[in-house]
Amino acid sequence: MSVRGKWRVVETPDHDMAGSASYILFAEDGGEFVLDCLTGSIHGRCQGDAVEFTWDGSDEMEPARDHGWAETLDDGSLEGEICLEDGDDIPFIARRSATSSTAC
């Protein structure tokens, strides 16, 4: 199963960042994410069932960047982590959005 498409973040263990507006989107060449007040643009190719990427954006309106990864699991969910330069590593679990298409 491809990581491409829009995923709704349903859990951020040890962090209170999952909510109705939290998502991660993987397109062919990059994407974007929103986890509460942490937002970013994803850089890199998003192919296959696992991806590593760099990102830049903002954390509570302050510039932020670093890297992350994500992979699909056997149950159809997405597991990954968004890492902040000199900060926290934020694990997440996501489910494919109902309006998402794997053809993007």
Side-chain angles (χ1 to χ4, degrees):
M1 177 187 300
S2 173
V3 297
R4 286 191 201 162
K6 188 171 185 179
W7 300 80
R8 182 175 52 87
V9 176
V10 296
E11 186 178 346
T12 52
D14 300 324
H15 295 81
D16 188 20
M17 301 176 89
S20 61
S22 295
Y23 71 90
I24 189 162
L25 172 70
F26 292 108
E28 184 176 344
D29 288 315
E32 62 187 31
F33 66 87
V34 172
L35 295 174
D36 196 29
C37 293
L38 176 65
T39 62
S41 294
I42 294 170
H43 310 288
R45 296 198 51 86
C46 300
Q47 313 186 117
D49 59 0
V51 64
E52 292 185 23
F53 55 88
T54 59
W55 67 272
D56 62 73
S58 65
D59 182 15
E60 296 184 2
M61 309 222 17
E62 294 293 325
R65 67 173 176 236
D66 207 342
H67 70 281
W69 62 270
E71 66 182 347
T72 57
L73 301 179
D74 290 339
D75 67 0
S77 64
L78 184 76
E79 177 181 50
E81 192 169 56
I82 303 290
C83 303
L84 285 89
E85 188 173 69
D86 298 324
D88 290 333
D89 295 341
I90 303 165
F92 66 86
I93 301 292
R95 305 257 185 255
R96 194 171 293 279
S97 291
T99 59
S100 179
S101 168
T102 57
C104 19

